[in-house]
Amino acid sequence: MKLTRWLIVLFFVVATICFFWFDLEQYLTLEMIQAKSGALRDQVQAHPWWAGSVFFAAYVALTVMSFPGTVVLTLLAGALFGLVGGTLMVSIASNIGALIAMLISRFLLRDWIQRRFAKQITSINRGLERDGAFYLFSLRLIPLVPFVLLNPALGLTRVSIWTFWWTTQAGMLPGHAIYVGAGRQLARIREISDILSPSLIGTLALLAIFPLAATKLLTLYKARKVYRGWQKPKSFEHNLLVIGGCSGGLAAARIAASMKARVALIESEQLGGAALHSGSVPARALMRAANMNHALRQGGALGIRVHTEVDFAEVMQHVRHTLNEAQEQVMAESGKANGVELIRGRAQLISPWSVQVGDRTLCARAIVIATGSQPIIPSIPGLEKVEPLTCESVWDLQQRPERLLVMGGEADACELAQAFQRLGSRVTLAVEGDMLLAEAEPEARQAVADALCADGVQVLLQVSPQRFEVAGNERRLVFSIDEQNRSLPFDQVLLVLGRQAHLDDLGLEKLKLNIRDDGGLEVDEYLATRYPNIYAVGAVTGPDSSFQSARHHAWYAAANGLFSGFRRFMVSDRVVPRVAFTSPEIASVGLTEAQAKLAELEYEVTLLNLDSLEAAQMSAGDSGVLKVLTERGRDRIIGVTLVGDGASETLAVFVLAMKHKLGLNKLRRTVHINPTLAEASLAVAEAWRRAHTAKRSQTWAARLHRWRLGGQP
């Protein structure tokens, strides 16, 4: 098997060298068709089977090798074999070549293609899972991915040989016929008047409009198939209906209104969503009070000694006051949003274009589902007896729990555990997994774990809850850890196990909208559901319930909903930042090292200890780390993790750089205020430059400078 692989590689290498060494590409030009078409046609007439066999073999070889020239050969087929014969020959030859290229990829190039073209392959796999053979047919009819990449990329999927064969044959046939016809017309050009002939002009026009026409026809066919059985209204009351007033829904409505569309926003409860009412806004207010208390207690390092006393009820009153102010601001902004009609009530989908709200039926060309998320409540026996708190109800606490059990291991759980510990509670953090912040970098996880332990939080990993018990006034969690049963007493339990999409009573079953295993609504790369005019944003599309993700989705959903008949925009979450407002803060964007390894990307790591920065020394021993992932041999950033106080603010530099594809070399030439943590971007860029500066060039630079001083080089 290994010898076979090496022989195939050797064949490809030799063929490539011969193709370019002997400049065979010169024979595959339009000029050559014009110059040699007459002589070649004579050879075809004199030896039709021999000439056809040679042409067929050459076309197959070019397709297998992915060499340039297949388009020219397609045109030449029309000149030599006519419209029908040329089309059949090119269609079969290209199909055989594509099949061989796919099989070679499946046998030989799987790992390399996976690394080199991971993004294209991911989108192909997603399309195959969603639409199967129809998706393959559309790729052939309208090459979203060039055939030179598509053939080997499909070899890495589970597509069967038969499906690959017939979709390739049927999908490429119309395009081949048009190009063969164009070649037949080009071969007839003898004078200027021939160029202006109606047949040639018609053929060239067909070449130009075919991709657009094919795209439109496929879109119409797919839409007709999906909408079968539904009666589309003849007129619409709104351009866009937004169901849900969460952060993503509010943003989508405002964006659509700014585009002068007629928009309605439907919400039965409070505007703002989870981020406002139970997420980052109250959590930041609570963390601010907790961190202030902690900082005053640690002020001895700066020569400041203060005795502090926490009034927990007043702290929570401050949190609720901050929350109320934020809610009032949202209400005021929504009232100023010109063009947005706010409708109070519970919405239910009754058709792909219609929504029922009470006695009123609303019709719109496009609908955005932005109903937000709700806390995950586990099914643990006895849970209802202990009256659990969630991130929605915890803000109503009036008395500080002396013993607080926090269940969860992600950012929200760590934030609340640290905040309550710093406000005087004895906190136990119970994590079902084997680590905190499972999606974060190891350096970030360790920093948070060390900070929690230093504050006094008891962290229990690999906890398997069995049941909750209540004996008198004593509440207990019975769990197993390391295959041993244990019992943990507590006063209050706070469940922070993540969130899931809130999709109850929306009428999804009637429209047969698919829900994924994680509870989110199944959407495509344009945030559209199975109906091209119904979109979803934020937590509705998956487990990420962050404010920034919902706002990021909002623009794409609004733009696609309003302009999908003309243009659609593919959403990308590549540059959506993530943060844990612990102390120290954990902020990241892009890929982590584990994700880069999983995608089999070639990358480099530049790690910077923030203790060496002047800003860290000025803040009483603040410490942290900056980890930057770049493409191997290049300064292009693919992932950043920043650990330290103020990390959430400093990360903006890297988010901007990744968004606009600015490398570390350009960051190195940016001036920042000293001393601030923003200088970390300069320091890490300089560290990368030193690691990639060639020693030979440094040696010659040193010799040049010595020579200019008048010494010997």
Side-chain angles (χ1 to χ4, degrees):
M1 183 70 72
K2 190 173 182 180
L3 178 61
T4 305
R5 291 176 184 270
W6 279 110
L7 289 176
I8 294 175
V9 171
L10 180 62
F11 171 79
F12 271 82
V13 171
V14 171
T16 303
I17 292 174
C18 291
F19 183 84
F20 291 102
W21 181 270
F22 295 106
D23 195 18
L24 299 181
E25 191 176 358
Q26 66 177 314
Y27 300 104
L28 302 172
T29 61
L30 290 174
E31 292 81 3
M32 186 59 64
I33 292 179
Q34 283 292 104
K36 301 293 184 181
S37 60
L40 291 174
R41 192 179 299 110
D42 293 338
Q43 291 292 328
V44 171
Q45 292 176 354
H47 309 283
W49 289 102
W50 179 86
S53 300
V54 171
F55 182 90
F56 189 91
Y59 203 106
V60 171
L62 281 180
T63 306
V64 172
M65 301 298 297
S66 299
F67 286 159
T70 53
V71 173
V72 175
L73 277 187
T74 305
L75 296 172
L76 183 60
L80 299 180
F81 304 102
L83 179 61
V84 176
T87 300
L88 289 176
M89 184 174 291
V90 166
S91 180
I92 297 173
S94 64
N95 205 356
I96 293 175
L99 180 62
I100 295 174
M102 187 272 280
L103 293 175
I104 289 175
S105 168
R106 186 167 286 183
F107 174 73
L108 182 66
L109 303 175
R110 184 182 298 268
D111 295 337
W112 182 80
I113 293 290
Q114 185 70 44
R115 290 194 303 269
R116 185 66 180 84
F117 304 113
K119 182 178 179 180
Q120 291 88 341
I121 293 168
T122 300
S123 62
I124 291 172
N125 283 328
R126 190 163 52 240
L128 285 173
E129 292 174 0
R130 187 172 62 247
D131 297 320
F134 179 81
Y135 177 74
L136 280 182
F137 177 77
S138 65
L139 284 180
R140 292 300 187 184
L141 195 61
I142 312 161
L144 303 178
V145 180
F147 294 149
V148 67
L149 301 181
L150 183 60
N151 294 329
L154 286 173
L156 307 179
T157 68
R158 297 179 179 178
V159 60
S160 67
I161 293 177
W162 167 244
T163 301
F164 180 90
W165 174 272
W166 80 259
T167 54
T168 302
Q169 191 77 63
M172 296 178 66
L173 184 60
H176 284 151
I178 294 173
Y179 274 91
V180 169
R184 185 167 174 265
Q185 296 294 331
L186 290 172
R188 295 179 175 179
I189 295 177
R190 294 293 181 268
E191 299 177 358
I192 296 297
S193 59
D194 295 332
I195 300 177
L196 301 178
S197 65
S199 59
L200 180 58
I201 293 175
T203 302
L204 295 177
L206 189 58
L207 280 174
I209 68 173
F210 173 71
L212 298 176
T215 302
K216 190 65 176 178
L217 287 174
L218 281 175
T219 302
L220 290 175
Y221 170 78
K222 189 175 180 181
R224 185 179 180 86
K225 182 180 178 182
V226 170
Y227 291 122
R228 185 177 298 145
W230 296 103
Q231 183 64 39
K232 186 177 181 179
K234 295 182 179 180
S235 62
F236 300 94
E237 186 178 354
H238 297 88
N239 298 104
L240 188 70
L241 277 178
V242 181
I243 303 176
C246 70
S247 52
L250 285 171
R254 291 169 184 163
I255 292 169
S258 70
M259 298 176 183
K260 304 306 178 183
R262 188 171 183 181
V263 186
L265 175 64
I266 306 169
E267 177 56 64
S268 60
E269 299 177 1
Q270 294 175 313
L271 297 175
L276 175 62
H277 301 291
S278 58
S280 57
V281 172
R284 286 296 301 274
L286 185 68
M287 284 296 297
R288 180 183 179 187
N291 291 341
M292 178 68 73
N293 182 54
H294 178 75
L296 291 174
R297 290 182 176 180
Q298 301 296 319
L302 297 175
I304 301 174
R305 295 172 179 82
V306 179
H307 172 72
T308 63
E309 182 178 348
V310 176
D311 188 329
F312 185 80
E314 193 168 339
V315 169
M316 297 306 291
Q317 183 179 353
H318 166 72
V319 171
R320 287 189 292 272
H321 176 72
T322 302
L323 186 56
N324 291 335
E325 285 187 337
Q327 292 171 355
E328 290 175 2
Q329 183 177 358
V330 168
M331 289 297 296
E333 291 177 355
S334 63
K336 296 178 182 178
N338 296 326
V340 178
E341 179 186 359
L342 180 59
I343 301 173
R344 290 294 186 178
R346 187 171 297 277
Q348 189 171 40
L349 292 163
I350 57 176
S351 85
W353 305 275
S354 304
V355 175
Q356 187 78 34
V357 185
D359 298 331
R360 183 178 177 184
T361 300
L362 305 171
C363 292
R365 293 191 63 89
I367 297 172
V368 174
I369 301 176
T371 48
S373 61
Q374 58 192 1
I376 294 176
I377 307 297
S379 55
I380 304 175
L383 178 61
E384 67 283 352
K385 297 178 182 179
V386 298
E387 300 175 347
L389 299 170
T390 67
C391 53
E392 293 182 346
S393 60
V394 68
W395 316 114
D396 296 327
L397 278 178
Q398 297 293 327
Q399 294 183 346
R400 177 180 60 201
E402 293 299 322
R403 298 173 299 177
L404 177 65
L405 171 61
V406 180
M407 300 188 67
E410 294 306 314
D412 292 346
C414 294
E415 292 170 10
L416 292 173
Q418 189 175 46
F420 276 95
Q421 181 72 30
R422 290 186 170 186
L423 290 173
S425 297
R426 298 200 305 275
V427 179
T428 300
L429 184 61
V431 186
E432 290 194 41
D434 57 358
M435 64 182 72
L436 296 172
L437 303 173
E439 298 296 324
E441 292 281 15
E443 296 83 358
R445 291 198 298 265
Q446 190 60 51
V448 171
D450 292 343
L452 291 175
C453 292
D455 288 338
V457 176
Q458 181 184 14
V459 180
L460 301 177
L461 301 178
Q462 295 182 308
V463 172
S464 179
Q466 304 296 321
R467 64 186 182 277
F468 286 96
E469 295 179 343
V470 178
N473 294 327
E474 184 81 338
R475 297 175 175 179
R476 291 180 176 274
L477 170 65
V478 178
F479 64 97
S480 63
I481 187 171
D482 296 331
E483 298 183 353
Q484 295 182 353
N485 289 333
R486 296 175 58 180
S487 177
L488 178 68
F490 61 87
D491 297 320
Q492 293 276 3
V493 59
L494 173 58
L495 304 177
V496 197
L497 298 169
R499 304 182 69 88
Q500 62 185 6
H502 182 55
L503 299 172
D504 300 335
D505 300 325
L506 281 178
L508 304 182
E509 300 81 7
K510 185 176 182 179
L511 271 64
K512 298 180 181 179
L513 295 180
N514 299 323
I515 298 178
R516 298 195 307 266
D517 294 338
D518 60 11
L521 200 59
E522 186 175 294
V523 296
D524 62 13
E525 58 271 24
Y526 303 100
L527 296 178
T529 63
R530 67 186 297 261
Y531 297 97
N533 71 308
I534 299 181
Y535 298 84
V537 300
V540 177
T541 66
D544 186 358
S545 59
S546 65
F547 173 85
Q548 55 270 20
S549 179
R551 289 291 297 268
H552 175 66
H553 286 172
W555 185 90
Y556 291 93
N560 289 333
L562 295 177
F563 304 110
S564 61
F566 306 98
R567 185 182 176 185
R568 294 202 299 171
F569 303 89
M570 186 181 299
V571 68
S572 171
D573 294 328
R574 183 181 65 90
V575 197
V576 177
R578 306 170 297 275
V579 65
F581 290 110
T582 52
S583 180
E585 291 179 352
I586 309 297
S588 59
V589 64
L591 300 178
T592 63
E593 190 171 359
Q595 291 168 340
K597 288 180 180 178
L598 187 63
E600 297 186 5
L601 300 178
E602 295 184 355
Y603 66 93
E604 297 176 352
V605 176
T606 304
L607 197 63
L608 177 68
N609 192 328
L610 299 185
D611 291 350
S612 59
L613 293 180
E614 293 181 23
Q617 297 173 5
M618 292 289 291
S619 57
D622 184 18
S623 61
V625 66
L626 173 58
K627 186 174 186 178
V628 178
L629 273 63
T630 52
E631 294 182 359
R632 183 175 298 279
R634 300 179 58 190
D635 69 337
R636 184 181 178 186
I637 305 169
I638 61 175
V640 179
T641 295
L642 184 57
V643 181
D645 292 340
S648 57
E649 302 288 346
T650 307
L651 186 72
V653 175
F654 295 98
V655 175
L656 185 67
M658 289 182 64
K659 178 65 176 179
H660 297 285
K661 299 180 180 180
L662 304 178
L664 288 178
N665 276 321
K666 291 187 177 179
L667 285 186
R668 186 171 60 87
R669 294 192 291 270
T670 305
V671 180
H672 291 288
I673 295 174
N674 174 273
T676 63
L677 197 58
E679 289 186 303
S681 62
L682 306 182
V684 75
E686 184 62 29
W688 182 91
R689 187 193 66 83
R690 288 196 301 268
H692 290 79
T693 300
K695 293 183 179 180
R696 183 178 295 275
S697 62
Q698 291 180 323
T699 302
W700 281 105
R703 290 179 179 179
L704 172 65
H705 295 317
R706 286 199 302 270
W707 174 76
R708 297 193 69 183
L709 289 173
Q712 296 297 322

